[in-house]
Amino acid sequence: MSTEPETTEDTEPGTPDAEPGTPDAGAEAATAPEEAATPPEEADDDPGADDAGAEGSSTEDSSAADGDAGAGELSEAEAELQAQRIERERIERRKAEKKGPIESGAKLSGTAADLLAAVRAVESGEKPARTVFSEPAAPRRPAPEPVRRPQPAPAEAAPVAPAPVPAQTVAVETVAAVGRVLADGGAPEALAPQAAAVLGEGAAEALREDPWQLLRVASVRPEHADSFARALLGPECAPGDERRGRALTGWLLEQAAVAGHTALDVAALTAALGQRGVPDPDAALQDALAEGEALAFQDALDEQPTPAPVEEGEEEPERPVRVLVGLERYALAEESLADGLARVVNSVAKDDGVDWASAAASASGSAAELIRAVAGHGLVLHTGGEAARAEPAALLTAARALGLRAVAACHTPDGRRRFAGLLPKDGAAQDVVTVAGLLSGAEGPGRDADGALGLDLLVVLDAPQLDVESAAMVVESLPDGARLVLSGDPAVLWSAGPGRVFADLLAARVCPQIASRTPDPGPIGELVSGIGVGELNQVDAPGKEIVIVPVRDAGEAVHRTVQLVADSVPRALGVPPEQTVVITPGHGGAAGTRALNAALKERLNPGPGRFGGFDPGDRIAYSPAPGRTVPGRVTGADADGLRLECAGVPVAVPRERVEQSVRHGWALTAHQAVGSRWPAAVVVLPGDAAQALSRPWVYTAFGRGERHLSVVHGVEQALPRAVAEVPAKPRTTRLPVLLRTQVPAAG
């Protein structure tokens, strides 16, 4: 690696910050089981996580599906929404057909037994025993059902219509009534559309009766809801109010989902409630379970050896179990995913008349192994780096030659482009789609009368980016007899949404796993491969493929980054600035994405920012939904909003949504960049970012450059220490337990 030192002015380093209400928010300390004592807003921010592109506090309308509420007929975005609703209903029907709840574990005692008994009583329609839940002093109004937030299709799939703000889908009178209640409580009236959309037609009455319902609005934090409740309730407002305990329980579980968990250990959740000033966390949790705000599960910790026979009169020994609490939407998704995987494993015919043997014989190495595994199994996992994508490409080509309906789905439009380039030029590239486009119906083969996709083989690339909800929808969309291949690099950052589906499947070992033996080429491939196993090696880079640029502080890091993008890389390698990506751990701080984008805009596309801070020609990162970022550029603006071009597709962003969904995009976080690659990458590591670094973050960031990687290095020994010692942050999920109980039984 070559070194290119240069010194400039001294500037005090900043501190990366995170966005409230987004996956950047530092919720892990309150939600991870081993960090239960720290409340979410007091935990260290995780500036490396994706914030779904929200500049500032995210709001509920950032998850609204794109569509034109005033159109006379269904727009493409509305059709996508309808497809999402149909698929969700299909999943729920499948769950309703189950004969009973999934049993796991055995005897429980104490609080865990009380929680489980309470949940089962609620599920059966009985009233929980008084020993578990105390009688309320007065009848309580049931909490409104949370709004289901479908995942819209990506901007690249089709022209994206303006996304309706909540005020367009809720009666004006309702919004006005909510605004009056918010004003009475001292809350910003600007929250009225979001609150009305979340709480529904009776939102004003619900807020007056239970002011803590305001926590259902994504950008609201507990301290805001407490202040609002004090203003409305006066002396009746108390920390131990049952309504407060229920609302905080739901809010903490939502924050846990932001941090990647699908459920929380009971001890972690009660500790977090205590940190929030709830006097009796156990009682608050029990009340939330009784009211249906959350669900409790008991799961066996691990497979235990067969116990010795129990003598007559002796008690059967207890099996170790854990009691988890989670939200219904993620519990439904994980159970639906496990059910669907069992169906995929069990429904493939042993002899389907397809000549897989000849297809495997025509391939070699890991590609032949992959084809043979797919021939005999419905579910196959494939692991490898960028070069290994040639193996699923060989599988897709072979399947098409055998007359099968085969489709490959990628995480990003750039991933789709790169994978399509590996296929023959005879039209097979049209069978490469994005996951979001496939699920919405905007791309791919379409669905039959039962809602199943019309295909025989689905290959999902970038599988680590699947969260539990999107994975469940993919699996539930497969027809009986279809094969599923999940392919990806297990060393990259996990999904922005809750769950760790690919990692859980690899750990469960419920299906064949084909590990590619095709290494990524060149100095960058050698460097990244070493990082994947915890080693930061010195590699030879004779063509300046890798350059290390030491800096002393954040100000110098910004200066050197602009110099590299605008001058050094174009001059030395011929890579223009628009083909270079800058990656930094967070959005805030003196060398975060905001500071870097401001400096890069001033150098590369100066302008007054007359369109909400943007000018034509600006590079942007557009987030049509939380956790999904599409690079693009500004083409113009009008009275309706900002005009973009993303992956060659025109996009119209309403002016009221620009602040929440559009950022400048010369500099990105690693989560925003995952799934895409650029000819050159500049990774910025200011000194104040040392705590944000981990092996998956470094692996992901360093692997975004195809031809060149510059590292603006100011973290000294924190970089090799992160690579060697800091693995991915753990996530609490239930999928491994569900897989153990369902997939083997299915065959």
Side-chain angles (χ1 to χ4, degrees):
M1 292 181 284
S2 59
T3 303
E4 186 181 353
E6 181 175 318
T7 59
T8 55
E9 70 279 7
D10 292 327
T11 306
E12 289 298 321
T15 302
D17 67 354
E19 308 294 334
T22 70
D24 270 351
E28 282 117 330
T31 56
E34 64 276 9
E35 300 168 346
T38 308
E41 82 277 15
E42 295 176 5
D44 291 338
D45 288 337
D46 179 8
D50 180 24
D51 75 332
E55 182 82 54
S57 299
S58 68
T59 56
E60 188 66 26
D61 67 341
S62 67
S63 62
D66 295 341
D68 185 353
E73 58 184 31
L74 285 179
S75 68
E76 293 201 29
E78 288 171 325
E80 295 160 11
L81 261 179
Q82 185 177 22
Q84 294 283 351
R85 285 195 295 269
I86 293 172
E87 184 59 26
R88 177 60 62 188
E89 292 169 0
R90 184 167 176 264
I91 292 175
E92 292 178 349
R93 284 199 307 272
R94 184 178 288 274
K95 294 305 301 175
E97 293 170 358
K98 296 182 67 176
K99 301 299 184 182
I102 298 171
E103 297 290 344
S104 179
K107 295 183 178 179
L108 292 174
S109 61
T111 303
D114 292 343
L115 291 173
L116 184 63
V119 170
R120 288 178 174 168
V122 172
E123 290 175 345
S124 63
E126 301 171 2
K127 192 172 186 61
R130 291 177 62 92
T131 57
V132 181
F133 303 103
S134 58
E135 289 289 335
R140 291 189 292 239
R141 179 189 181 92
E145 182 71 15
V147 172
R148 302 285 182 187
R149 295 185 289 184
Q151 300 183 14
E156 71 278 9
V160 177
V165 296
Q168 293 174 309
T169 58
V170 180
V172 175
E173 296 81 4
T174 299
V175 175
V178 171
R180 289 191 292 271
V181 176
L182 293 174
D184 291 344
E189 293 186 53
L191 293 176
Q194 294 93 326
V198 172
L199 299 176
E201 188 175 349
E205 294 79 7
L207 283 174
R208 285 201 182 276
E209 185 172 336
D210 183 358
W212 287 282
Q213 291 286 329
L214 192 63
L215 271 177
R216 292 180 180 270
V217 178
S219 59
V220 175
R221 299 185 64 81
E223 54 269 26
H224 305 148
D226 286 341
S227 176
F228 179 64
R230 283 193 295 270
L232 286 184
L233 300 179
E236 297 180 10
C237 181
D241 194 298
E242 291 179 340
R243 296 168 292 184
R244 181 175 185 266
R246 291 196 300 271
L248 282 174
T249 298
W251 183 83
L252 286 168
L253 291 173
E254 287 286 2
Q255 295 303 301
V258 166
H261 308 284
T262 60
L264 286 181
D265 184 85
V266 167
L269 185 54
T270 54
L273 285 168
Q275 290 285 336
R276 292 287 171 186
V278 176
D280 190 346
D282 289 332
L285 176 56
Q286 292 170 359
D287 184 60
L289 293 171
E291 294 294 330
E293 297 290 329
L295 301 177
F297 315 92
Q298 62 162 344
D299 292 334
L301 289 175
D302 291 299
E303 291 293 340
Q304 301 295 315
T306 303
V310 178
E311 298 292 337
E312 186 175 353
E314 294 182 1
E315 290 189 3
E316 183 179 347
E318 295 185 3
R319 292 181 61 190
V321 298
R322 63 176 180 175
V323 178
L324 300 178
V325 179
L327 296 173
E328 184 267 345
R329 62 181 289 191
Y330 303 122
L332 175 66
E334 282 191 301
E335 293 182 4
S336 296
L337 176 56
D339 285 349
L341 291 171
R343 179 175 59 86
V344 169
V345 169
N346 199 44
S347 65
V348 171
K350 300 301 181 184
D351 184 8
D352 54 7
V354 178
D355 188 10
W356 290 102
S358 63
S362 64
S364 61
S366 300
E369 292 181 29
L370 179 60
I371 294 172
R372 283 193 291 268
V374 171
H377 301 84
L379 175 65
V380 176
L381 305 182
H382 173 261
T383 60
E386 181 66 22
R389 294 163 74 95
E391 294 157 15
L395 169 64
L396 190 72
T397 302
R400 298 292 298 180
L402 293 171
L404 299 177
R405 300 171 298 173
V407 170
C410 300
H411 180 60
T412 63
D414 180 68
R416 178 183 60 189
R417 175 191 62 79
R418 288 182 284 115
F419 188 76
L422 301 173
L423 300 175
K425 307 302 181 183
D426 58 359
Q430 67 185 2
D431 299 317
V432 184
V433 300
T434 61
V435 172
L438 178 69
L439 292 177
S440 68
E443 303 173 48
R447 300 176 183 268
D448 60 21
D450 296 325
L453 294 168
L455 48 77
D456 303 305
L457 170 66
L458 175 62
V459 180
V460 178
L461 285 301
D462 309 310
Q465 303 312 306
L466 287 174
D467 58 54
V468 291
E469 291 186 300
S470 59
M473 295 184 71
V474 166
V475 173
E476 288 287 340
S477 298
L478 294 176
D480 290 343
R483 289 172 165 84
L484 174 64
V485 176
L486 299 178
S487 175
D489 190 340
V492 299
L493 289 165
W494 290 337
S495 63
R500 31 165 280 166
V501 174
F502 195 55
D504 282 344
L505 280 168
L506 287 170
R509 308 194 72 84
V510 295
C511 64
Q513 300 180 15
I514 306 301
S516 173
R517 297 189 298 274
T518 305
D520 287 342
I524 295 178
E526 182 182 351
L527 175 66
V528 171
S529 296
I531 293 171
V533 296
E535 299 175 358
L536 188 63
N537 301 318
Q538 293 283 339
V539 299
D540 293 330
K544 291 189 177 292
E545 293 89 349
I546 303 172
V547 173
I548 307 299
V549 183
V551 294
R552 296 171 300 178
D553 51 45
E556 185 181 359
V558 173
H559 171 78
R560 296 294 284 119
T561 299
V562 174
Q563 185 182 60
L564 284 165
V565 174
D567 296 325
S568 301
V569 173
R571 183 178 65 252
L573 302 172
V575 178
E578 59 268 21
Q579 294 182 14
T580 299
V581 66
V582 176
I583 300 175
T584 190
H587 294 296
T593 61
R594 296 191 195 96
L596 286 166
N597 276 318
L600 288 164
K601 173 176 171 54
E602 182 179 358
R603 177 64 181 275
L604 299 174
N605 194 45
R610 59 185 181 277
F611 302 132
F614 299 93
D615 293 297
D618 280 357
R619 280 176 65 175
I620 55 89
Y622 170 56
S623 294
R628 187 154 50 86
T629 299
V630 184
R633 64 182 182 88
V634 176
T635 59
D638 53 30
D640 295 329
L642 198 63
R643 301 289 175 181
L644 313 175
E645 182 181 333
C646 299
V649 177
V651 178
V653 183
R655 59 190 306 171
E656 62 271 11
R657 281 183 49 82
V658 170
E659 184 177 356
Q660 288 80 29
S661 60
V662 184
R663 285 183 182 268
H664 284 107
W666 287 279
L668 306 172
T669 65
H671 262 100
Q672 290 177 316
V674 71
S676 299
R677 300 188 85 200
W678 289 260
V682 177
V683 178
V684 184
L685 304 175
D688 55 10
Q691 296 300 316
L693 300 181
S694 66
R695 185 186 306 160
W697 192 94
V698 177
Y699 183 94
T700 302
F702 282 22
R704 296 313 94 197
E706 295 176 330
R707 295 168 48 194
H708 175 77
L709 167 67
S710 284
V711 181
V712 180
H713 192 345
V715 292
E716 299 181 346
Q717 293 305 307
L719 178 58
R721 185 165 55 250
V723 170
E725 302 174 5
V726 186
K729 291 185 178 180
R731 294 184 176 187
T732 303
T733 66
R734 299 185 60 236
L735 185 59
V737 171
L738 298 174
L739 289 171
R740 286 201 303 267
T741 59
Q742 296 188 68
V743 174

